[in-house]
Each structure stands twice: as structure tokens, then as C-alpha cells.
Amino acid sequence: MTPEPGPQRALVASSFVNRLGTGMFVAVSALYFTLVVGIPARQVGTGLTIAGTAGLIGSVPAGMLADRVGPRAVQLVTLLVQTVTMAGFVFVHSWWVFTVVAALDRIADAANNAARGTLIGRVGGERPALFRAKLRTFVSIAVVLGTPVAGIAIQIGTRAAYVTLILVNAATYVVCALLLLRVPEFPPLPRPAGARRFAALADRPYAAFAALNGLLSLQGVVTALVIPLWITARTQVPPSVAAAVFGLNFVVGIVLMQPIGRRVETTAQGGRALRASGLAAAAGCAVLAGSAAGPRWAQTSVLLLGAAIVSAAGVWALAAGFSLAFGLAPDHAQGEYQGLNLLGLDTAAAAGPAALTALVLGFGAPGWFVLAAGFAAAGLLGPAVTGWAGRCRPGAAVTGRAARPSAAGSSAP
């Protein structure tokens, strides 16, 4: 489980600090903007939707830039911007200021993730997906550790408590950048003769994978948003169980991420993992459909079982996404392709919450079954889509194994 000494351990430490702050901020952000700043909840939701849409423009250009000047340099710049935008939330006093700052923060975050994905591919060497699985485990632990700290600020309930926590989160971006300086700057890889510029945008098989990956990532929306709203609107389950679902999701991820990640490293394995993810998510949604009937203890038990199954499905989707996002991308354009994959994920994240809540809360149990059918259909497409993408990769073997990063792409300068 422990990352290797050197660049891998430094990148894990940097990411851990960053996500520790994120765990604190995410848990209090909605309460801060509504209760302290005084922005109505609906306007906060609208502002975040606008910010999420704006963030879509950040990933692909940042990935291209990371390919040309080096991923660490791009990530350091984005961390500086996020330090400023996070601190800027302290001075928010109206909806339009909130929306502008949130949009800038989301654009920087999308750019950061694209550059970070490229850096992970270089630091991870011959097995970037496995390294990313390890990294995911540590950042999940960081988010869990940050949440109780947020609970203290919520319990105190003063503006000073919220502002202190936000500024601490801003400081984590600085610490993250300082730790990132211990990771070597990898030089750009030369573009092979005949390789196209902006190849990712014209790569239909990879775009199909990115879209499918985005759809299956909506399992995260189910556990983070739909289930808590379902608890309060359609069940007799105590609202405190929503916190248990949040914790359960991270516990399942921490326990399963590395064992599953070790089994998903080729195109064929990635396709099967997407299929398993979709079918498991469908099963979890079917279970959740029954959580509104019966006595309270039965509803709680069924709900936690369904949430655990959906959380496990999310781990399969993450493992598949890690492996395929790296394995299907050419070495010289990892950033560009990571950006396209993130575009698929971010598009789903922007559109998914409204669609899924309207479906499930609007139709009740039948909505869960419709959602289950959608996940199952997306999962069943996994092997076909990834097989198509794998066959189109230069250098991919006929066995369906994705082309792996070359030695030149995985060694430090």
C-alpha cells in the first residue's frame, strides 16, 4: 500500500494535504454560503451549476499545455490560482461575486486535475493505473480525516470559525505546491512523426470511452446527493444515516481500491471492469428502490446495503477509468487525453445531479429502476467501446492489451 520512496511518495504527500483541506471545505461550503454569507440555497445551486459549466473549458487546454511545457509547472500555476480563489471566498458578499469566484476556482481545479493526471502517468512509470489506485486510497483517507474538522466549525457556528477553516484550506494549496517541488519536472515527450495536433479531440473511440466513463461516474452522485435527498423525502430513515452513507462510501473505496486496481490494467480488463461497475450499480439501485417500504429498521438496513453496493460499483468504475485513461492515450499526448477524459467526467458531474434527483425523487421506486437500467446498459457497452478504442491504438497488441507508457515516458530526467 505504501508508495515507493521518491517522486511517488512526494506526489502522494502533496495530494494528501490538498484533499485534507478539500474534505474540510466541501463539508461546510453550502452552510457557509447560505447561513453566513446569506445567499439563498437555490441561488447557491445555480451559481455552482454555472461554475461547473465554466470548468469544462479548463481541462483539455491545460492538458495540452502540460504536454508541451511539463505537467508539474502547469499544476504549480493552478495551485497558486486556487490559493487565491479559495481565499477569495472569504470576501464573497453577493451572488454574482460568489459565482465569479466559484467559476474561476472550478476552471483552475479542472486544469489542475488535467495536469495532475499527466504527472501521475509519468511518476507511475510502467503501472500508472496501479499508482493512481494507491493515490486514490490515500486521498480518500484525507477527505475522511478532514470531515470531522469541518464538523467542529459547524458546531461552533460563527463566521470566524467558517472563515478560519476556509483560509486553512487555502493554505493547504501552498503546502501542496511546496511538496510538489520534490517531484521532478518531466520534460515534454516529442510528438512522433505523422502524429496529429489536437489528436484527442478527433479520437472518436477515446471520446466514446470518455463519455461512457462519465456516465458510470454518476454512481458518485447517487451516494453523495441522491441517497441523502431520498432519505429525507421518501423514507422514515433518520437524517443522520446520510452521514453514515458518506462515510461508508469512503470506507468501501479505501478497502477495495487497491485490490481491484491490481486486477484492472489492460484494455480488456478495463472493459470488463466497466461492465461489472454498471451491473453492480444497477443491482444497488434496485435494492435502494425497496428502501422506502417497511419499518424504519428495515428501511435503514436496505438503504445501507444498496449504498454499499453502489459504492463498490464506483470502485470498479474508478479502476477502469484509471487504467483506460492512461493506457489508451499516446505517451506524448497524455495531458491532452487526460483532459478529454476529465471533460467527460465533468460534463456528467454538471448535468447529473439535476437529472438524477428529478428522476428518483420525482418517480420514487420506478425512478430507481429506470436508473438501474441506465447503469446496466452503460456497463454492458464497456467491453465493446474499450475494445474498439484498444484496436485503434498505435502499437496495441491484438490480444487487447493497451499500449503502456514507454520507458522514456516514465523515467525522471
Side-chain angles (χ1 to χ4, degrees):
M1 177 176 177
T2 304
E4 297 179 8
Q8 288 196 5
R9 189 165 296 179
L11 186 54
V12 167
S14 174
S15 300
F16 183 91
V17 171
N18 183 231
R19 293 304 187 244
L20 185 66
T22 299
M24 292 188 293
F25 176 71
V26 169
V28 305
S29 58
L31 294 176
Y32 170 73
F33 293 122
T34 54
L35 299 181
V36 177
V37 180
I39 303 173
R42 182 168 295 182
Q43 290 186 18
V44 170
T46 301
L48 291 176
T49 299
I50 294 172
T53 304
L56 299 178
I57 68 175
S59 54
V60 175
M64 293 178 176
L65 188 61
D67 289 329
R68 283 155 180 74
V69 304
R72 193 189 69 165
V74 175
Q75 193 177 3
L76 287 172
V77 172
T78 62
L79 288 170
L80 174 61
V81 174
Q82 287 185 280
T83 302
V84 175
T85 55
M86 184 55 57
F89 283 128
V90 172
F91 303 100
V92 165
H93 57 82
S94 64
W95 176 81
W96 74 267
V97 175
F98 159 70
T99 302
V100 170
V101 175
L104 293 174
D105 183 72
R106 192 65 191 88
I107 292 170
D109 184 62
N112 183 4
N113 287 332
R116 180 170 169 267
T118 310
L119 191 59
I120 290 169
R122 302 293 293 271
V123 172
E126 295 295 330
R127 305 184 73 183
L130 178 58
F131 171 59
R132 190 158 194 170
K134 292 181 180 180
L135 185 61
R136 178 75 183 193
T137 301
F138 281 98
V139 299
S140 296
I141 295 172
V143 172
V144 171
L145 292 176
T147 303
V149 179
I152 297 174
I154 294 172
Q155 189 66 31
I156 296 173
T158 64
R159 175 181 175 83
Y162 284 102
V163 166
T164 299
L165 189 143
I166 291 172
L167 293 178
V168 167
N169 185 30
T172 64
Y173 289 108
V174 178
V175 177
C176 177
L178 293 175
L179 290 171
L180 199 62
L181 293 175
R182 297 169 54 194
V183 179
E185 178 61 280
F186 293 85
L189 297 176
R191 187 170 65 250
R196 297 177 54 179
R197 290 182 179 271
F198 314 116
L201 299 177
D203 192 331
R204 289 183 296 171
Y206 193 94
F209 152 69
L212 190 63
N213 195 33
L215 289 174
L216 289 172
S217 74
L218 289 175
Q219 295 154 348
V221 175
V222 173
T223 55
L225 179 65
V226 179
I227 292 178
L229 294 177
W230 172 261
I231 288 173
T232 59
R234 292 276 188 164
T235 75
Q236 301 176 19
V237 175
S240 59
V241 175
V245 170
F246 179 82
L248 179 64
N249 182 49
F250 279 98
V251 169
V252 170
I254 291 169
V255 171
L256 296 182
M257 190 70 253
Q258 290 195 53
I260 291 178
R262 293 180 184 277
R263 299 169 57 186
V264 184
E265 294 192 86
T266 68
T267 302
Q269 291 169 344
R272 290 193 294 269
L274 290 177
R275 180 175 60 197
S277 173
L279 295 178
C285 289
V287 171
L288 289 166
S291 63
R296 179 178 295 185
W297 67 266
Q299 290 184 12
T300 302
S301 300
V302 171
L303 189 139
L304 290 175
L305 175 61
I309 296 173
V310 173
S311 296
V315 177
W316 280 106
L318 282 170
F322 293 165
S323 176
L324 293 165
F326 289 117
L328 295 176
D331 295 345
H332 71 280
Q334 280 284 334
E336 181 179 344
Y337 276 76
Q338 296 301 318
L340 180 58
N341 180 48
L342 287 169
L343 181 61
L345 295 171
D346 289 343
T347 301
L356 267 58
T357 53
L359 176 65
V360 172
L361 298 184
F363 294 95
W368 280 115
F369 286 114
V370 172
L371 184 57
F375 277 131
L380 290 172
L381 288 173
V385 169
T386 55
W388 174 36
R391 289 190 298 272
C392 294
R393 300 306 97 186
V398 295
T399 58
R401 180 174 296 272
R404 308 306 306 164
S406 65
S410 60
S411 59

